[in-house]
Amino acid sequence: MKIAVDIDDTLNVIDRVSRASAYIKRKGLPFRLINDNAGAFLDTFDWKSEDVAAFMRDGGITVFTDAPARKGAREALERLQSEGHEIIILTARQKEWFGNPEKLSRDWLEKRRIPYAEIAAEIPLGDKARFCAERGISAIVEDRVEVCLDAECLGVRAVLAVCKHNYSRAGEVRLGGANWEQIERALQYIIKANG
């Protein structure tokens, strides 16, 4: 079975507040924190995309390159891969902020020894479900509720990686988990259901 897995807030834990706050203070910028539980930089402070891009170019990229893997993610994907499942890393990381999002993602994955068969980068959030449906991917693990709901509508089983930014909406997605033990159980349920 083909399984798509998102990176940010799914395989890793992103701290969008501390380094960005230090950058804003150091530069004397007027931006204010608007949501310390946001699942995207654009929703964390009252800044625009070009401001986030400037932050990324000025060292903010380390928020992603240094992000720790979620506990148990590597081991769960190793078990799934050893059972013969194909892991496709599916990320919306774009060039504007990440330079070479595929290389950056590959470096992060390999440094943490997280197994995968391929990486698909620069897939906009709104296109992830369609990407999976068109490529015969049976399941997606993702932290965005909207992506999970879109996937389910297209016949792709979704597992929500529950975190602080989506906790209040977690009940909208049938399968999910707050840790990789729960996520792996949800994937095993899908695998058994697919026979």
Side-chain angles (χ1 to χ4, degrees):
M1 185 171 93
K2 290 183 180 180
I3 302 168
V5 181
D6 176 51
I7 298 177
D8 299 321
D9 297 314
T10 301
L11 282 176
N12 65 18
V13 179
I14 299 293
D15 173 5
R16 290 180 177 81
V17 177
S18 59
R19 289 186 191 177
S21 293
Y23 164 82
I24 289 167
K25 184 177 179 182
R26 185 179 80 240
K27 295 283 191 175
L29 299 170
F31 308 123
R32 293 176 301 111
L33 178 67
I34 55 173
N35 184 353
D36 61 352
N37 289 327
F41 263 118
L42 283 174
D43 302 328
T44 307
F45 297 90
D46 60 348
W47 55 2
K48 295 181 175 28
S49 182
E50 55 269 16
D51 302 313
V52 177
F55 164 65
M56 296 290 273
R57 285 191 302 272
D58 196 17
I61 195 80
T62 59
V63 169
F64 296 90
T65 59
D66 294 349
R70 281 178 101 171
K71 185 179 180 220
R74 177 178 51 84
E75 295 84 356
L77 293 182
E78 283 175 344
R79 283 187 292 273
L80 290 163
Q81 189 178 57
S82 72
E83 292 170 10
H85 303 291
E86 186 177 344
I87 309 299
I88 295 115
I89 302 300
L90 184 56
T91 181
R93 291 175 171 182
Q94 75 272 3
K95 285 182 183 173
E96 179 187 9
W97 292 3
F98 293 93
N100 185 338
E102 185 175 333
K103 181 185 181 319
L104 187 104
S105 299
R106 180 175 290 109
D107 290 349
W108 185 88
L109 292 160
E110 291 179 2
K111 183 176 180 184
R112 286 149 187 86
R113 299 184 343 263
I114 295 175
Y116 63 92
E118 68 178 273
I119 298 173
E122 297 184 79
I123 309 298
L125 291 174
D127 293 340
K128 282 185 166 186
R130 184 173 44 80
F131 178 92
C132 291
E134 289 174 354
R135 285 162 181 79
I137 295 170
S138 301
I140 183 171
V141 182
E142 169 70 50
D143 68 294
R144 297 300 187 129
V145 172
E146 296 80 7
V147 173
C148 289
L149 296 174
D150 289 348
E152 291 281 343
C153 286
L154 294 176
V156 177
R157 299 299 304 270
V159 177
L160 181 68
V162 179
C163 34
K164 63 184 180 179
H165 73 84
N166 65 18
Y167 182 78
S168 65
R169 296 186 60 198
E172 294 178 42
V173 181
R174 189 168 153 238
L175 296 172
N179 59 56
W180 268 89
E181 182 180 324
Q182 295 169 345
I183 291 168
E184 185 179 11
R185 269 199 309 267
L187 286 168
Q188 289 297 344
Y189 172 82
I190 292 168
I191 291 164
K192 286 183 179 101
N194 281 357

